[in-house]
């Protein structure tokens, strides 16, 4: 929205305030970042937007908050106390990337519904001009729905994965696929997902769904019940990418589906791309950009596996050797927690000495949008988290796919089999948050996939052509008159208040 329109919105009579959207992400970077992007887009179009999360995550979004403040946008962040007393979690365990091991993950999930009380109190504390018009909550946070219902506030859920996955997940639930697979007993048997416009088969390990651990089935039931009672859903995709799945999903769900992505394209300047998701991103961007500037256009492969899954040393070594053996220039992001072990630190130093000038190892956070938008980067080895996949697509980037868990195997199938922009690394079964010591992916798999991704030939050229085409369509979707731009306008209009409500 133009600045003149913002000025008009600011003078709107009290009886018709701008709509106020309260957004509640699940506390993981891959869930927080797209909802912060959505909050910014809402604010740019004249609505008020508030992101509700935990203190650590508010701190991490300081760059986004400062950027919005300088632009005069009605965007703010609110923190709720977490973790609750008695949870057994360390005080800094406020984001999924702070979970120390697989055994800590269940207490982390079970502690999150304790935020329901503080969230209810926050909603009730808002004065009439700022009463929420709509709550947009992550699918993984069904505890927000009851508070919204008690106050008569419409509740939408945000489903972060691809619409392809969301449709498969819904149809699997509608047709009792999870129970059928459990009854079958064979872990490797393939089962068809009904009600999807393309053939989809799954095994016990790759059946769609979050909260798939036996101890979290109650959480899954609560999320599915909240989803079925919702007033609609917001998804981070665009019509020209997933039109057939969007249509089927809306029909199967029986609720409005607002496709508003790629949300990452709201970050248009260097400052926004550098600080997206982490305040310290600017310094990292300078170092990475300086290194990339010395390489030819499209010659570098970028390898990063998201913020949650952590690779144990044996698997980490295979990744590094595979990148080295491919002979392709690379930027590889290694988490600080992965690089902390002495044997890993020593091995990484030796690798860097061997590939000096050809390979760059980034320890910790990397400004992914800034990397993907650099002219030197021509391919992306990814864990297939939807944020990463969609960011690659939005930048016309083909991918080498290495799914780890949850929706990622479906995102791989979408990229490789449906869109034609990916090549498989070869992961066949899911892993836990911490990679399994069995090392399912070998260095030869990594080298082969990178070589295929970055090499020549008809197949590689066709992947690049399709990726570029989808990138152009993604940008058009977000521009004025595009499908996502107009969908956002309709969303805002749908929840514009005619008068302030009293609770």
């Amino acid at each position: 929205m133009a600045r003149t329109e913002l000025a008009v919105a600011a003078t709107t009579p009290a009886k018709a305030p701008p709509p106020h959207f309260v957004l509640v992400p699940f506390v993981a970077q891959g869930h927080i970042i797209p909802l912060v992007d959505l909050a910014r887009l809402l604010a740019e179009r004249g609505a008020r937007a508030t992101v509700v999360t935990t203190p650590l995550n508010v701190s991490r979004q300081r760059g986004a908050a400062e950027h919005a403040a300088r632009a005069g946008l009605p965007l703010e962040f609110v923190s709720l106390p977490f973790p609750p007393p008695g949870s057994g979690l360390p005080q800094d365990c406020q984001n999924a990337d702070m979970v120390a091991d697989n055994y800590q993950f269940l207490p982390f999930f079970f502690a999150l519904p304790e935020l329901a009380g503080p969230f209810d109190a926050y909603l009730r504390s808002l004065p009439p001009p700022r009463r929420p018009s709509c709550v947009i909550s992550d699918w993984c946070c069904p505890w927000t729905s009851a508070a919204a219902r008690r106050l008569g506030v419409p509740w939408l859920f945000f489903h972060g994965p691809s619409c392809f996955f969301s449709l498969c997940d819904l149809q699997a639930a509608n047709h009792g696929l999870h129970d059928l697979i459990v009854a079958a007993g064979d872990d490797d048997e393939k089962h068809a997902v009904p009600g999807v416009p393309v053939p989809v088969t799954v095994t016990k390990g790759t059946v769609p769904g979050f909260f798939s651990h036996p101890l979290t089935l109650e959480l899954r039931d609560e999320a599915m019940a909240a989803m079925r009672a919702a007033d609609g859903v917001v998804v981070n995709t665009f019509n020209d990418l997933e039109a057939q799945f969007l249509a089927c999903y809306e029909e199967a769900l029986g609720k409005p589906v607002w496709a508003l992505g790629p949300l990452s394209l709201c970050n248009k300047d260097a400052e926004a791309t550098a600080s997206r998701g982490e305040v310290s991103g600017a310094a990292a961007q300078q170092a990475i950009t300086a290194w990339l500037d010395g390489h030819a256009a499209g010659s570098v492969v970028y390898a990063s596996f998201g913020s949650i899954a952590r690779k144990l040393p044996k698997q980490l070594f295979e990744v590094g050797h595979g990148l080295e053996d491919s002979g392709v220039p690379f930027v590889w992001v290694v988490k600080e927690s992965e690089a902390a072990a002495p044997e890993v630190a020593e091995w990484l130093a030796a690798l860097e000495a061997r590939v000096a000038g050809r390979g760059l190892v980034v320890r910790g956070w990397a400004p992914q949008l800034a990397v993907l938008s650099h002219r030197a980067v021509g391919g992306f080895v990814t864990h297939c988290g939807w944020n990463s996949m969609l960011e690659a697509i939005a930048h016309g980037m083909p991918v080498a796919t290495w799914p780890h868990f949850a929706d990622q195997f479906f995102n791989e199938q979408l990229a490789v089999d449906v869109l034609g922009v990916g090549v498989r690394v070869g992961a066949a079964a899911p892993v836990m948050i911490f990679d399994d010591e069995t090392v399912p992916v070998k260095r030869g798999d990594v080298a082969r996939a990178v070589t295929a991704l970055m090499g020549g030939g008809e197949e590689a050229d066709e992947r690049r052509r399709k990726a570029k085409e989808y990138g152009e369509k993604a940008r058009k979707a977000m521009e004025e008159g595009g499908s996502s731009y107009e969908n956002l306008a309709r969303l805002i209009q749908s929840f514009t208040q005619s008068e302030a409500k009293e609770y």
Side-chain angles (χ1 to χ4, degrees):
M1 176 177 283
R3 191 167 296 278
T4 54
E5 293 175 290
L6 285 173
V8 171
T11 61
T12 301
K15 65 178 181 180
H20 180 195
F21 291 85
V22 176
L23 297 90
V24 188
F26 173 66
V27 286
Q29 290 295 83
H31 295 244
I32 294 170
I33 289 174
L35 276 182
V36 171
D37 287 341
L38 175 56
R40 179 177 166 183
L41 285 168
L42 288 165
E44 287 176 348
R45 302 283 283 274
R48 179 181 292 277
T50 301
V51 178
V52 179
T53 184
T54 62
L56 171 68
N57 295 311
V58 169
S59 176
R60 286 181 170 183
Q61 296 302 320
R62 190 172 73 247
E66 292 172 350
H67 191 274
R70 285 192 295 273
L73 300 177
L75 167 60
E76 65 178 358
F77 294 82
V78 170
S79 65
L80 301 180
F82 190 84
S87 66
L89 297 171
Q91 281 304 112
D92 66 348
C93 192
Q94 299 178 29
N95 187 298
D97 64 15
M98 302 298 293
V99 172
D101 54 51
N102 285 327
Y103 301 101
Q104 204 174 64
F105 226 77
L106 286 178
F108 180 78
F109 270 113
F110 285 124
L112 289 172
E114 296 296 320
L115 291 170
F119 179 67
D120 185 282
Y122 162 70
L123 292 183
R124 292 180 182 277
S125 72
L126 295 172
R130 296 181 57 201
R131 297 293 197 208
S133 310
C134 177
V135 171
I136 302 178
S137 171
D138 195 291
W139 186 91
C140 294
C141 301
W143 45 267
T144 61
S145 62
R149 297 296 182 207
R150 281 193 293 270
L151 301 178
V153 177
W155 187 84
L156 307 180
F157 69 93
F158 173 76
H159 218 185
S162 62
C163 192
F164 174 64
F165 167 82
S166 298
L167 174 62
C168 290
D169 188 29
L170 178 61
Q171 295 292 37
N174 286 345
H175 293 273
L177 184 60
H178 296 84
D179 293 336
L180 290 174
I181 289 177
V182 170
D186 185 348
D187 290 356
D188 297 323
E189 182 179 350
K190 292 186 177 181
H191 303 262
V193 180
V196 182
V198 298
V200 181
T201 59
V202 297
T203 63
K204 183 177 181 180
T206 61
V207 65
F210 294 97
F211 301 131
S212 56
H213 190 283
L215 296 179
T216 63
L217 294 182
E218 183 177 343
L219 295 176
R220 177 175 174 81
D221 290 344
E222 290 174 1
M224 294 296 287
M227 177 187 78
R228 296 183 191 283
D231 296 296
V233 56
V234 171
V235 289
N236 186 13
T237 189
F238 59 101
N239 289 0
D240 280 338
L241 186 73
E242 294 194 89
Q244 60 180 327
F245 307 120
L246 282 163
C248 290
Y249 186 48
E250 188 167 61
E251 181 180 357
L253 193 62
K255 301 178 187 298
V257 176
W258 282 279
L260 306 179
L263 296 171
S264 62
L265 288 181
C266 76
N267 300 275
K268 299 180 178 67
D269 57 60
E271 179 189 3
T273 57
S275 62
R276 182 173 180 258
E278 185 66 46
V279 178
S280 62
Q285 179 183 358
Q286 292 177 2
I288 297 170
T289 298
W291 189 88
L292 288 171
D293 285 344
H295 291 79
S299 65
V300 177
V301 66
Y302 172 63
S304 180
F305 303 99
S307 60
I308 296 180
R310 273 156 271 182
K311 300 190 179 305
L312 298 177
K314 288 182 181 179
Q315 182 66 88
L316 197 73
F317 297 159
E318 293 299 301
V319 177
H321 281 301
L323 291 171
E324 180 181 7
D325 294 347
S326 73
V328 174
F330 64 87
V331 173
W332 177 28
V333 181
V334 178
K335 297 177 183 65
E336 291 179 353
S337 58
E338 294 173 331
E343 70 271 24
V344 174
E346 182 179 351
W347 182 86
L348 285 174
L351 172 69
E352 289 175 301
R354 293 196 304 271
V355 298
R358 181 170 72 82
L360 177 66
V361 178
V362 180
R363 293 165 177 79
W365 179 264
Q368 186 157 292
L369 283 186
V371 175
L372 292 175
S373 61
H374 196 283
R375 62 166 186 80
V377 178
F380 182 11
V381 182
T382 174
H383 67 304
C384 301
W386 186 238
N387 287 322
S388 291
M389 294 287 286
L390 196 55
E391 288 162 15
I393 289 168
H395 288 86
M397 191 74 60
V399 293
T401 58
W402 181 347
H404 287 59
F405 49 77
D407 60 309
Q408 295 165 12
F409 284 89
F410 292 84
N411 297 337
E412 175 183 61
Q413 181 170 338
L414 176 65
V416 177
D417 300 329
V418 179
L419 302 178
V421 299
V423 57
R424 288 178 170 87
V425 170
V431 295
M432 291 292 286
I433 301 307
F434 293 84
D435 261 352
D436 195 292
E437 282 280 15
T438 56
V439 191
V441 175
K442 306 294 185 181
R443 66 189 67 183
D445 300 319
V446 176
R448 172 195 49 77
V450 170
T451 301
L453 181 69
M454 302 298 290
E458 185 176 341
E459 288 187 8
D461 289 342
E462 182 66 4
R463 276 193 295 270
R464 283 189 277 269
R465 185 194 66 78
K466 289 181 177 179
K468 183 178 179 181
E469 182 178 295
Y470 281 118
E472 292 170 352
K473 290 179 177 179
R475 288 188 291 275
K476 288 180 180 178
M478 295 296 287
E479 294 171 355
E480 187 170 357
S483 61
S484 295
Y485 184 98
E486 296 303 322
N487 285 340
L488 182 60
R490 284 189 281 270
L491 174 71
I492 293 172
Q493 184 59 42
S494 296
F495 297 100
T496 298
Q497 303 175 127
S498 59
E499 58 183 44
K501 294 191 296 184
E502 296 291 341
Y503 293 159

